[in-house]
Every structure is written in structure tokens, then in C-alpha cells.
């Protein structure tokens, strides 16, 4: 089956197919003639023609076996159209350099025109070692600082994301995503680079500890080997024989006892 879910709405089944049989459409998705399916062995593809802004949503494919339902990861489709010209999302600066332990406030400015619907704004972070971005915070529509341009119907709304006591886990690129008027827009992102003296001190301290521990380990090994050699020499059964051989080589007779 194919399922469509718009932000904030319940999922809708688009089409289903049983054992590679021709697809059956649901919820009126066959009325416009824009949705088609292609069925083959182990494949069930969905094609949407004449894309419209209302097609912006997340599309999931799923399979059922008895009472078990398995979903795919989903495809998030964002349609760029004329309705997007009434919205603009700005993020500044592109890169923010801060020191470990410091605080910073990220900003996202949303300019709107001709749309009275309240916004839903999400902050997402994408770390350097992560494959996907995750939501870290959601702003309410009443948490923005509103302003109006003189002689214009454009409204600006500034959302803020405060971050305190920053550490390495906070590094990454932060994106603001605005959902309003049936569309979702993303900012260009602000990369948060954690640098500074605190990290350098921590690295320097770690290096010195590592060097010191290696020196202690080396001295311990040398001491252990020296003690073992001394014990081996004192307890060797060939100790007196070596002395007699030395006397013989020196020309001294070997004494018998």
C-alpha cells in the first residue's frame, strides 16, 4: 500500500495491491487522474503527475502480512510553487563559532505576506556523524517577535533558539523548518562550530596524562625486568661451573672437594 500524510493530519491510504493484482485506489486519489501505480515482481511504484502544492507531504509504502504491518522510511515531498513566494525563511549567520561552555542564540526570520495562518516552526540539528537531521525544539506561533514593514503587508516573525553550556554534542548544522499555509519551508542552516581554549586545554591535559602514564609504564617494565634478571642470576645452577671454567682458562688448576 501507499500512504500519504500531511503535516498535522491523519494518514490517508492512496492505493493498495494484493498479490501483484491491479491497484485499488482509496480516498478519491483516482478522481484527478494524477496518481498512477506500476506493479511488477516485488515492486509497487507510485507516480504523481502535474504536481500541485497540496501534494506536499510524506509518502510511505507499507506491506502487510497477517496482522503485521511494515513501513518504509518514507519520502518527504516538498512542492515549490507560486504559493511559496508569500513566504521567506532566513537564517543568519551561516557559521557561528563559539567556545565550549559558552551560550548562543540562533535566529530564524520568517517573512510572510497574504497568509493569516499561524506558523509552526521546528528546529532540526544535523551532526557531522549523523545520516539524518533530528528535531531538537519546536517554537509556538506566539513565541516570535513580530514586526511590519512600513507601507507593506509583509510581516516578519523572528524565532529564537537559545543554547547554553555548549559542548561537543551540540556541534552541527541547525535548520529551522516552517509549516504554514499548506507548505513547509527550510532555512539555509546555521553551522555551530564548537572551538576555543576550553577544548584546547582539555586536549592538552589528555596528551600530558597519556605521556606521563607511558613513562610510568616504561619505568615499571624496566624495573621488573631488572629484578627478574637478578633473581635468575643468583639462582642459576651453572654459577659455580662458570667460575671453574674461568679459572681453567686463566691457567689455574681445578680443585676437587
Amino acid at each position: 500500500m501507499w500512504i500519504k500524510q500531511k503535516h498535522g493530519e491523519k494518514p490517508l491510504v492512496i492505493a493498495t495491491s494484493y498479490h501483484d493484482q491491479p491497484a485499488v485506489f482509496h480516498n478519491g486519489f483516482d478522481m484527478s487522474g494524477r496518481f498512477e501505480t506500476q506493479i511488477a515482481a516485488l515492486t509497487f511504484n507510485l507516480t504523481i503527475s502535474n504536481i500541485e502544492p497540496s501534494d506536499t507531504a510524506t509518502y510511505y509504502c507499507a506491506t502487510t502480512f497477517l496482522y503485521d504491518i511494515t513501513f518504509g522510511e518514507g519520502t518527504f515531498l516538498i512542492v515549490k510553487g507560486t504559493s511559496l513566494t508569500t513566504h521567506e525563511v532566513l537564517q543568519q549567520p551561516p557559521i557561528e563559532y563559539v567556545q565550549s561552555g559558552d551560550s548562543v542564540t540562533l535566529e530564524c526570520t520568517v517573512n510572510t505576506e497574504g497568509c493569516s495562518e499561524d506558523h509552526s516552526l521546528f528546529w532540526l540539528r544535523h551532526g557531522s556523524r549523523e545520516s539524518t537531521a533530528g528535531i531538537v525544539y519546536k517554537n509556538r506561533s506566539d513565541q516570535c517577535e513580530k514586526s511590519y514593514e512600513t507601507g507593506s503587508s509583509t510581516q516578519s516573525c523572528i524565532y529564537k533558539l537559545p543554547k547554553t553550556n555548549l559542548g561537543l554534542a551540540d556541534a552541527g548544522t541547525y535548520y529551522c523548518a516552517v509549516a504554514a499555509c499548506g507548505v513547509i519551508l527550510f532555512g539555509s542552516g546555521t553551522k555551530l562550530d564548537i572551538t576555543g581554549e576550553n577544548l584546547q586545554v582539555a586536549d592538552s591535559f589528555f596528551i600530558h596524562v597519556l605521556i606521563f602514564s607511558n613513562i610510568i609504564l616504561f619505568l615499571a617494565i624496566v624495573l621488573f625486568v631488572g629484578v627478574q634478571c637478578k633473581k635468575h642470576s643468583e639462582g642459576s645452577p651453572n654459577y659455580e661451573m662458570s667460575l671453574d671454567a674461568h679459572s681453567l682458562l686463566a691457567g689455574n688448576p681445578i680443585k676437587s672437594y
Side-chain angles (χ1 to χ4, degrees):
M1 68 181 65
W2 274 100
I3 299 173
K4 173 184 178 181
Q5 183 176 25
K6 299 185 66 173
H7 174 72
E9 298 182 7
K10 68 179 182 179
L12 295 175
V13 176
I14 300 175
T16 59
S17 173
Y18 181 74
H19 279 291
D20 298 336
Q21 296 297 315
V24 176
F25 285 89
H26 305 268
N27 297 302
F29 280 97
D30 58 334
M31 300 300 292
S32 64
R34 299 189 302 109
F35 292 81
E36 297 180 356
T37 60
Q38 297 81 38
I39 303 173
L42 302 180
T43 62
F44 186 30
N45 298 333
L46 176 68
T47 299
I48 308 175
S49 58
N50 298 322
I51 289 292
E52 300 176 355
S54 61
D55 295 325
T56 296
T58 302
Y59 293 82
Y60 297 94
C61 62
T63 60
T64 61
F65 180 75
L66 298 179
Y67 299 103
D68 185 26
I69 302 178
T70 304
F71 285 87
E73 295 181 355
T75 299
F76 185 32
L77 175 64
I78 303 177
V79 180
K80 295 182 178 181
T82 55
S83 62
L84 298 184
T85 59
T86 60
H87 302 75
E88 183 182 22
V89 181
L90 303 175
Q91 278 188 256
Q92 293 291 338
I95 300 179
E96 185 78 27
Y97 294 97
V98 294
Q99 293 184 353
S100 176
D102 286 353
S103 301
V104 68
T105 299
L106 305 180
E107 292 189 0
C108 178
T109 302
V110 181
N111 296 324
T112 63
E113 182 178 0
C115 178
S116 60
E117 181 180 330
D118 289 335
H119 300 106
S120 295
L121 187 135
F122 301 86
W123 288 93
L124 302 92
R125 185 183 70 87
H126 187 199
S128 58
R129 298 182 179 180
E130 299 172 352
S131 58
T132 58
I135 297 177
V136 295
Y137 189 74
K138 176 183 178 181
N139 281 113
R140 300 191 310 270
S141 58
D142 59 351
Q143 291 179 318
C144 77
E145 299 177 3
K146 296 182 179 181
S147 62
Y148 294 88
E149 296 183 5
T150 305
S152 173
S153 60
T154 301
Q155 173 183 313
S156 296
C157 195
I158 301 176
Y159 294 91
K160 296 183 179 181
L161 176 65
K163 301 286 292 182
T164 59
N165 194 23
L166 293 169
L168 289 177
D170 298 309
T173 303
Y174 288 78
Y175 299 92
C176 60
V178 180
C181 302
V183 296
I184 300 178
L185 297 177
F186 288 88
S188 57
T190 296
K191 183 179 180 181
L192 196 60
D193 194 354
I194 310 297
T195 59
E197 299 178 355
N198 292 341
L199 292 179
Q200 295 177 357
V201 170
D203 293 340
S204 177
F205 175 76
F206 176 76
I207 294 174
H208 282 83
V209 169
L210 184 61
I211 294 176
F212 181 75
S213 62
N214 287 335
I215 293 176
I216 296 298
L217 179 61
F218 176 75
L219 294 177
I221 293 175
V222 171
L223 180 62
F224 175 77
V225 173
V227 172
Q228 293 299 319
C229 290
K230 183 177 180 181
K231 290 182 179 179
H232 179 74
S233 299
E234 293 178 350
S236 174
N238 298 324
Y239 184 69
E240 293 185 358
M241 291 179 63
S242 63
L243 291 179
D244 292 341
H246 185 273
S247 299
L248 180 61
L249 291 174
N252 299 327
I254 299 177
K255 297 181 180 180
S256 301
Y257 297 94

